[in-house]
Every structure is written in C-alpha cells, then in structure tokens.
Amino acid sequence: MKEKLASWPTLFLLFLKRDWKKIVVWVAGLGLFSAAYVPAFEEITKGQGLKGMFETLQNPAMISMVGPTPVETAADYTLGAMYAHEMLLFCSLFAMVIAALHVVSHTRKEEDHGLLELVRSFQIGRQANSLAAMMEILFINVLLALFIGGVMISFGADTITVEGSFLFGASIGMAGILGAVIALVMAQIMPASSGATGSSLGIIGLLYIIRAGTDVSNADFSMVNPLGWTYLTYPFTDDNWLPLIFALIFSIIMVVLAFTLEGNRDLGAGYLPEREGRDRAKKSLLSVHGLFIKMNKGVMISWLIAFVIMGAAYGSIYGDMQTFLGSNEMMEQMFAQSGVSIEESFTGTIMMVMISLVSILPIVIVNKLFSEERRSRLSQLYATKVTRNQFYWTSIGLAVLAGLAGIFLAAGSLGGTASAAMEDNVTMDVVDFFAAGFNFLPSVFFFIGLAALALGWAPRLGKVVYVYLGYSFAINYFGNILDLPEWFSKTAIQSWQSRMPLEDFNAPSFLTIIVISIALMIIGYLGYHRRDLMEGA
Amino acid sequence: MTNIVSIQGLQKRFGKFQALNDVNFTVNAGEVVGFIGPNGAGKSTTIRILLGIIKRDAGNAEIFGKDVWKDSLEIHKRISYVPGDVTLWGNLTGGEMIDLFLKLHGGGDKQKRDELIKRFELDPKKKAKGYSKGNRQKVGLIAALAADSDLYIFDEPTSGLDPLMEAIFQEEVEKIKKSGKSILLSSHILSEVERLADKVVIIRQGEVVETGTLDELRHLTRSTVTLATKGDVAEMAGLKGVFDFNQKDDEATFSVDNQHLDDILVKASKLGVKKFESVPPTLEDLFMRHYEG
C-alpha cells in the first residue's frame, strides 16, 4: 500500500501551488454565496414574512426545488430554519459539481494528456496522484466548511447558532467531498475525461431529480440518497450530524472502490470498452455542418435527454398541488385572491429555471469552437477552402437550433407530464406551457449573442458567459424570495421577459432582445473573421 | 555482463488487439540499445510496461533484476524517462517543471541542469503553455539528462527538435554512454540509432524479429558493390550470391551476400579491377528489408 501511494505529499503540495488562485476563488466565492445572504434573509423575516414563506414552501412544487424542512408549524419557522431550508440544497449542489469537475481535471484529464505517464516514471506510487487529488479536495472543503461557519456566525443573528453554522458549513463541505468521490470512481470507469465529467454531472443531476420526487412523497426516502445526506442535516432546527457520518462512510467506500478499480486498470484505459469505429466516413460527416454536429453530438443528446427528464420530474408535481391547496386554507385564499392558479404561478418560476439551464447548451456549443481552435485542431481545416465564415455561422446556427430544441423538449415534457398529472383538474393546456417556454427564447438568444461576442473579440472570456448565466439565474431565483430593487433584478436578462402565463406576452421586449442578440452575433462575426487564431495558447 | 533490462516472452493485449505477442531482448550494463519498428509495432507499449505504467499479461520483464510492476518504485530511483510527446502543466514555467521532475526523481545535478538549459537554449522562465513542441521536448530531455540514473529510457526523444538540438542530444547521450550507463533508445531517426546504438532490436507486430549488434545484422545481409573491370563485367552476373545486377558500360552495381564475398572478389580480380566500391547496408536498408519483404 505504501508503495502505491509513495510521494503523494509532493504531488499534493504541487496541486496547492498550481491551484492556489483557484482555491481562493472557490472558497471565497462559494463560501460567500452560501453564507452571506443572512442579512437579506433577515429582511424577509420582518412582519408576517416568515409565516408567509413557511406556507409558500409547503407547496410540493417548492419542496421539489428547495427541499423539505423538519419544522411543522409556522411559529417554529425561524430565520435559521428558513435559511437552511432555502439555501442548503442549492449550495450543496454547487459544491458537488465544482468538486467533481476539479477531480476529473486533476486525475483523468492529466492522464489523457499524457502528463501522468511522465509523472509515473518517477518514484511516484501508482495511486499517489489520486490520493493527492482527494487530499486537496478534503483540504479545500474543510476550509470551505470553516469559512462558511465563520461568516454565518459573524452576522450575530439570534437563530443562527454556532453549532448550526458549522453544521451548515460542514454539510456543504461534505457535499463537495461526495461530488469528488463520485467523480473519482467515474474517472476510473470511463474511457476518457469527457466521459468521466459527463457521467459524474449526470449522476449528480439524477440524484437531484430523484430527491425531488422522494422529498415530495416521503422525505425519509431521501435519506438513502447521497445528495440527501447534505441538506437533511437540517441545521438550526434538528442539527442532525448523522447524515454527515453516512456521507463520510460512503465517501470512504467510494475512494476504496476507486483505488481498487484504478489499481486493476492500465493507465489511459477504462472499464467501459471503446467501440470500434467505422472505417469510412458517413456522408453526413463530410461537411462543416456534419463535422460540427458530430463534434457536439454527444453533449447535445445528453443535455436534451436531461431537459426531458427535468421537465417530466417537475411536471409530475402538478398533481400534488391541488391536494396541497385543499389542505392549506391560507394558501388557497391567497391564490384565489391573486386570480392566478397555483399551477400557473409555479409554471412561471419553473420555466425560468429550466430555460436558464437550457441556455447552457448553446453556450457550450459556441465555446466549443474556441476550444477546438486552441487545440489547433481547426488549423488543418482552415488550410482548406473552408472559410471562417462557415465555422462561425455553423456554430451559431447549431447553438440556435439546440436552444430551440431545448426549449421545445423542456416545455413539452413539463406540459405533457403536468397535463397527465393534473388529470381532470386541468387549469392549463400544453400550448400554455410552450408559450411560457418560448417566451424565454430571447434570453437564450442573448446568451448565444454574448458567447458569440466573446468568441469574436475576446475568446478567453467565453467562460465568463457562464458566470453571467449563473448570476442571472441566482437573481431570478432569489428574486422570488427576496425583494430586490427593480434596477437590480433587471441586470438579469430573463427579467426583461414577462412571466407567462402569469403576465401577458410582452412583444416589444421580446423583439428588442432578439434584435440585440442578433446584433451581438454579427458584431462577434466582425471580430472573428479578422482576429488572430489562438492556437495552442 | 549483467543484464540491466531483461524481457522474456512479453505479451500484452488491449481488448481484442494483441499489442505484444512475444517480445524478448536484454539491455546490458553500459550498452545503448536501439529499439526500432514502425508505428504501432509495440515500442511504446513495451516501454510503458517497463515503466510499470501498464501491466503485462504474460512473460517476464525485469530492470536491475527487479520486477517492473511490483518493484517499480525501487526501479524508478535509478531510471530516467523521456516520452516522445512531453506534456506539461501549462501554468508552470519550464524551469519549474525541470526542478519538479528532478525532485520527483530524487535529486539531480543543479549545475548540470543549468548547463543543459544553456546548451539546449531553453528559456526556463516561460510558462509551459507558450512552448512549442520542440521546447516541451527539451524540458523533458533536460530533466532526464540532469538526473543521475543508471538506465535512461528514451521514446522517440528528439521528435520536434531541430537538427542542431538533435546533435546536442546525441552528444549528451554519448557522454552518458561513456560513463557506463545503459540506454534504451526508441527512435525513427535511424541515423541517430546507427550512430549511438551498440545493439539494435527490431520489433514488428508485437514480436522482436531481429536482435544483434549492427555488425552482426549487417553480416546477415548484403552490401552494395559498384565494380568496373577491364574484362566483361557482365560475367559477374552469373555468380552465386550476386543480386539486382545492373550494368552501365563497363561498370556494374549489384548486391552481394556477404558470405560469398570472397568468390566474387576472386572472380573480379581475374577480370582486372578498375574500380571497386562496397557500401555496407545502412540501418535503413536493414529496416526496409524487414518491412518490405
């Protein structure tokens, strides 16, 4: 064993040296995102805020999104209870995803690039690299947990207890470790790093959707879900440390499993066999369009399937909503007064969430062109009669198509499942769902436009588009809960669209943003066709 | 002589593909062994097995008398390796990478390092992502050459290097050789192998098809002879051991089986030699014979 792990501390220190900037951004960014909303939440608690929020979050639709609370009466619903209820699941999810990406990039990716081969020719144990990566993850997440706990205590709010704060932080830190061990196992099974990343994220997404179902039906079932071991600690209310122990045991088992798998495979190989390819190109491949579709096929199909599953998962909740209203007089009155049905209200919110996620796929496709450029793969093609024009507009076109298909599938799947779930209680038909979905088309176009602009003028900033997407998403998501000033919420692009079906279609805004987006694409092109290609950079 | 590397009956399969069928060869102390073969013949697979990076399916492979899989750490203390495509972490500089590699190796010669950086004209302050292929290769070479090892494994080490740097590499390898170290050199640059190697191992479709010193290998094959005689040179054509006979005026060019050289010289002197040139086969000729025939 000692031999397998030899010299891991050296690699560990090397990781810290290489990553320290990333670690600072990671801990500070995720930490503040998780902990620093306490004052904003204090605002909500004023007056009847807590009671209203408690009732709202009893809605199965909301539970499916944010998770359950152990609190049974509105009187016990404190600031701490609400904070953990609304924030913990999402922050845990982020922590998992970031850690999973990080682990794959330090293990499988370096293996694919051939770096590990050279490293292994030294006195380095076979599994020292994996152990070093895990130790780095442990280090980062412990740091993150302490940072979150510390920041939360510093606000000095009554119900934000010391124990609860550290449990909250530890839950998020543990989520990171869970994401990391899942990724480490997938890194052994999959034949390449892209597969490892994709399958890890897929598993995390699946865990999230499964827990949405079990949270609504019976939260006890969420206890067998690794993602459940994070938010079911219920900080500030039950303060239950037990799930973290489950998570720890699970993590140790996964690490042992990953090490065993790694020990039994060759460097560069996986457990899933790679299929033999065809010896001649299919006709459909033989064009710029064909090549780009082929390049993006895997990611497109998996995302589109994810949209369908997501739509179906949320759609299935519509059946529970009327039951919920029947059991909750206050909410029933509230919805009766406002003149919108509970289904319509939920559709407005969930559609925004889903279409924000749909926007990721087109951004991925546009950014792909730059990552291909950097790896110098395009130079052989540029040397032929193919023009940059073709590359650019093929990518943009594909992104637009992916956006349209994404909205269609997400809205259709949501609408279809919802209609089935509502049975005879139908308050919306499928057309309403499509309208609500395509109402967000301008925001999808806008993200494509931004990515295109970056591609043309400052391609290294392509990743920043994701940051803006995350930002807009957060603004809209929390905009439902917090009372954000108008100008502030307008910094998110989705806010410029009306919330259908709650509000009427806003045609001028719809068209304006589409026109702006197309202009961005054209401006991006002007940059792209004249700038230097950045190969190998 | 002691065996530094010894490989017997090595086999490796990847899925359905039999990468190595039966690989046998040894590297003795103080010997430079050229390891040649076309792409996909199994050179890098063999080297990876030697490094303990992948596991053999059957056969024996030892370095310094130790098993390459079980005792890889012990072995790695005394070897240096340069792959054909050195990859580096983009955000570290070349100098940092070299120091890191030397540290991981377990100590190297700082002075040698600086000297090599100068010789190879590497800018050690540049981040690795800005290096060209050749410069990345230099980082790997410098780290390997500055380390004090008993066995050096080079897998197409000079790919991407310019001819000047290639020459410097060859000089450095000769220095190592003189100090009694062993080298396993896999390369497509046959002139390089020819210049450096004491022994050549030719691999083809996962099997070693030829092993021996260059002289031994040459002996098995034919030299090219150019001969001009006073008498009719065409008489040479019928002799045993003469092939590919080509005549132009009184001058003929043909290949000769080395074992029949004596008879041929006797016959030629009877005709009265005006001109005689004999060119031994180059490694390239040997190589081509194995793959074309």
Side-chain angles (χ1 to χ4, degrees):
Chain A
M1 199 63 194
K2 190 172 153 254
E3 168 146 337
K4 283 182 183 162
L5 304 173
S7 299
W8 73 264
T10 318
L11 292 180
F12 172 69
L13 292 177
L14 175 68
F15 280 156
L16 293 186
K17 185 180 166 194
R18 283 168 56 203
D19 295 336
W20 72 269
K21 283 183 201 150
K22 186 176 176 184
I23 294 172
V24 169
V25 173
W26 181 342
V27 172
L30 186 58
L32 290 177
F33 179 78
S34 309
Y37 284 102
V38 173
F41 275 76
E42 270 182 312
E43 286 298 310
I44 312 173
T45 59
K46 289 177 183 155
Q48 287 293 302
L50 272 178
K51 191 165 185 298
M53 194 55 76
F54 177 73
E55 299 296 346
T56 309
L57 294 182
Q58 293 301 307
N59 184 338
M62 295 309 284
I63 291 176
S64 73
M65 285 169 63
V66 303
T69 177
V71 174
E72 279 167 14
T73 60
D76 295 336
Y77 202 60
T78 60
L79 168 63
M82 179 174 74
Y83 196 85
H85 189 184
E86 285 180 10
M87 297 292 292
L88 188 50
L89 172 58
F90 260 91
C91 297
S92 301
L93 199 63
F94 279 134
M96 271 178 120
V97 169
I98 297 173
L101 294 177
H102 184 76
V103 165
V104 173
S105 80
H106 267 344
T107 55
R108 196 64 208 227
K109 209 168 201 171
E110 300 201 333
E111 192 173 322
D112 288 356
H113 287 180
L115 254 164
L116 277 189
E117 177 171 331
L118 192 51
V119 168
R120 284 257 283 266
S121 76
F122 299 108
Q123 298 172 55
I124 301 288
R126 276 191 193 94
Q127 308 194 311
N129 187 74
S130 294
L131 181 66
M134 279 300 121
M135 286 301 176
E136 190 192 20
I137 283 289
L138 185 66
F139 171 77
I140 293 172
N141 282 293
V142 167
L143 208 65
L144 180 67
L146 295 176
F147 180 72
I148 292 174
V151 171
M152 292 188 79
I153 294 167
S154 75
F155 291 111
D158 273 349
T159 53
I160 307 280
T161 58
V162 173
E163 187 191 356
S165 298
F166 282 113
L167 178 58
F168 188 88
S171 304
I172 294 173
M174 188 49 88
I177 292 168
L178 286 170
V181 295
I182 290 172
L184 189 67
V185 170
M186 295 324 286
Q188 314 310 325
I189 294 174
M190 290 292 161
S193 69
S194 55
T197 307
S199 58
S200 307
L201 296 185
I203 289 173
I204 294 172
L206 205 62
L207 291 180
Y208 179 80
I209 285 177
I210 291 173
R211 69 129 278 285
T214 51
D215 278 356
V216 171
S217 55
N218 182 353
D220 288 345
F221 289 127
S222 299
M223 259 302 191
V224 293
N225 185 332
L227 181 57
W229 298 327
T230 58
Y231 64 94
L232 293 179
T233 52
Y234 295 135
F236 311 115
T237 47
D238 285 5
D239 279 335
N240 184 2
W241 291 80
L242 190 63
L244 294 190
I245 293 171
F246 293 157
L248 196 65
I249 294 169
F250 175 80
S251 300
I252 292 169
I253 293 172
M254 290 292 270
V255 168
V256 170
L257 173 67
F259 276 29
T260 313
L261 289 172
E262 188 179 28
N264 286 317
R265 74 179 174 92
D266 285 337
L267 193 75
Y271 281 92
L272 290 185
E274 284 191 85
R275 280 176 306 157
E276 199 167 78
R278 49 183 81 246
D279 63 343
R280 279 167 204 284
K282 270 206 287 191
K283 229 180 182 155
S284 60
L285 175 65
L286 299 177
S287 63
V288 175
H289 293 86
L291 175 66
F292 277 44
I293 289 171
K294 175 90 182 174
M295 265 168 15
N296 289 300
K297 198 165 118 191
V299 66
M300 280 173 74
I301 291 177
S302 37
W303 275 95
L304 293 176
I305 291 175
F307 297 150
V308 172
I309 295 176
M310 191 169 60
Y314 285 122
S316 65
I317 295 157
Y318 280 71
D320 296 318
M321 287 187 211
Q322 289 299 335
T323 329
F324 160 69
L325 276 193
S327 69
N328 192 320
E329 236 172 79
M330 191 182 114
M331 291 300 278
E332 194 173 12
Q333 278 173 3
M334 224 178 79
F335 276 105
Q337 275 168 14
S338 66
V340 285
S341 70
I342 183 171
E343 288 86 0
E344 286 170 335
S345 156
F346 178 63
T347 307
T349 308
I350 203 64
M351 205 53 97
M352 191 282 296
V353 171
M354 291 207 306
I355 306 304
S356 293
L357 292 174
V358 165
S359 309
I360 298 175
L361 177 58
I363 303 175
V364 168
I365 293 172
V366 175
N367 280 353
K368 173 91 176 168
L369 188 59
F370 180 58
S371 66
E372 291 291 313
E373 173 185 331
R374 276 216 323 194
R375 289 185 196 146
S376 312
R377 285 197 208 128
L378 292 181
S379 42
Q380 294 162 55
L381 298 178
Y382 278 121
T384 66
K385 61 182 179 176
V386 176
T387 61
R388 290 191 189 198
N389 191 348
Q390 272 172 290
F391 280 126
Y392 184 84
W393 290 111
T394 306
S395 286
I396 301 289
L398 202 58
V400 168
L401 280 179
L404 291 171
I407 297 177
F408 180 82
L409 291 175
S413 160
L414 180 74
T417 331
S419 304
M422 287 189 284
E423 291 167 8
D424 32 81
N425 248 322
V426 184
T427 51
M428 297 172 65
D429 60 31
V430 177
V431 178
D432 293 328
F433 286 96
F434 280 120
F438 280 100
N439 177 44
F440 282 112
L441 185 65
S443 73
V444 175
F445 271 48
F446 188 74
F447 286 112
I448 300 175
L450 278 186
L453 188 69
L455 177 65
W457 293 94
R460 274 170 223 279
L461 298 184
K463 293 231 154 74
V464 177
V465 181
Y466 295 116
V467 176
Y468 178 63
L469 176 67
Y471 168 83
S472 322
F473 177 74
I475 294 269
N476 279 291
Y477 186 77
F478 292 109
N480 289 325
I481 302 165
L482 312 175
D483 241 345
L484 298 173
E486 172 83 3
W487 64 267
F488 190 48
S489 55
K490 285 287 186 202
T491 55
I493 187 67
Q494 292 95 333
S495 314
W496 292 83
Q497 300 312 310
S498 57
R499 275 290 149 82
M500 288 175 75
L502 305 176
E503 301 163 359
D504 288 335
F505 179 60
N506 182 348
S509 167
F510 187 92
L511 290 175
T512 311
I513 291 179
I514 290 221
V515 168
I516 292 175
S517 307
I518 292 173
L520 288 177
M521 294 173 202
I522 293 169
I523 296 170
Y525 173 67
L526 295 179
Y528 186 73
H529 89 132
R530 78 176 63 164
R531 78 168 163 83
D532 288 346
L533 292 183
M534 298 185 198
E535 298 202 324
Chain B
M1 266 197 287
T2 40
N3 285 344
I4 296 295
V5 179
S6 94
I7 297 178
Q8 288 127 21
L10 195 63
Q11 292 186 19
K12 177 72 187 174
R13 116 192 328 275
F14 295 115
K16 283 183 192 152
F17 175 64
Q18 185 84 35
L20 298 182
N21 224 340
D22 182 23
V23 174
N24 303 281
F25 69 87
T26 56
V27 179
N28 297 322
E31 199 172 47
V32 178
V33 173
F35 191 31
I36 60 179
N39 297 329
K43 297 188 298 294
S44 295
T45 304
T46 307
I47 288 177
R48 281 181 194 168
I49 289 174
L50 285 178
L51 290 169
I53 289 171
I54 60 178
K55 198 173 180 177
R56 61 182 184 265
D57 294 335
N60 248 323
E62 289 180 348
I63 296 182
F64 309 130
K66 296 189 174 86
D67 185 276
V68 293
W69 180 259
K70 277 189 256 151
D71 300 319
S72 66
L73 281 193
E74 272 306 300
I75 294 169
H76 289 185
K77 280 183 194 163
R78 293 163 61 198
I79 65 168
S80 290
Y81 167 58
V82 180
D85 198 350
V86 175
T87 38
L88 304 170
W89 289 295
N91 57 351
L92 297 184
T93 67
E96 284 177 312
M97 296 289 313
I98 293 171
D99 288 347
L100 171 69
F101 286 157
L102 287 177
K103 167 114 189 288
L104 292 178
H105 179 273
D109 185 342
K110 280 274 135 85
Q111 206 186 329
K112 183 91 199 261
R113 163 199 187 268
D114 295 341
E115 188 190 306
L116 285 167
I117 287 179
K118 221 172 266 165
R119 283 208 80 189
F120 279 106
E121 296 173 13
L122 179 78
D123 176 1
K125 288 185 195 145
K126 217 164 139 184
K127 295 249 166 147
K129 62 184 161 203
Y131 281 143
S132 64
K133 162 99 175 78
N135 277 326
R136 288 202 309 268
Q137 211 62 28
K138 286 180 196 172
V139 171
L141 286 172
I142 293 170
L145 293 170
D148 184 30
S149 295
D150 293 324
L151 171 67
Y152 294 80
I153 298 178
F154 297 120
D155 191 359
E156 295 176 35
T158 53
S159 60
L161 286 193
D162 65 50
L164 290 174
M165 294 303 147
E166 223 176 276
I168 291 174
F169 168 74
Q170 290 172 10
E171 281 167 29
E172 291 295 334
V173 169
E174 272 172 347
K175 278 191 211 164
I176 296 176
K177 184 178 164 181
K178 268 191 201 125
S179 60
K181 308 297 176 64
S182 309
I183 295 163
L184 178 60
L185 171 66
S186 150
S187 176
H188 282 307
I189 302 173
L190 297 176
S191 60
E192 185 174 279
V193 176
E194 204 160 10
R195 176 173 163 191
L196 298 171
D198 304 305
K199 193 165 93 182
V200 175
V201 175
I202 302 181
I203 186 172
R204 176 183 177 181
Q205 290 173 356
E207 270 178 68
V208 171
V209 289
E210 203 76 78
T211 321
T213 64
L214 218 45
D215 280 347
E216 282 166 1
L217 293 184
R218 280 183 181 139
H219 199 74
L220 295 173
T221 57
R222 300 160 185 170
S223 304
T224 307
V225 170
T226 308
L227 178 71
T229 52
K230 288 180 195 133
D232 184 9
V233 77
E235 285 179 32
M236 302 296 297
L239 287 179
K240 209 174 175 190
V242 171
F243 301 91
D244 307 328
F245 190 84
N246 259 318
Q247 189 178 354
K248 201 180 172 194
D249 302 331
D250 61 348
E251 193 173 301
T253 308
F254 49 87
S255 334
V256 176
D257 259 347
N258 287 341
Q259 63 209 41
H260 297 291
L261 204 55
D262 191 40
D263 304 340
I264 288 159
L265 287 176
V266 169
K267 176 76 184 172
S269 59
K270 278 183 194 155
L271 292 170
V273 179
K274 280 202 293 190
K275 176 185 172 190
F276 178 83
E277 284 170 13
S278 170
V279 183
T282 61
L283 189 54
E284 196 157 335
D285 296 330
L286 291 175
F287 189 78
M288 292 301 182
R289 268 175 62 92
H290 267 290
Y291 292 102
E292 285 174 349

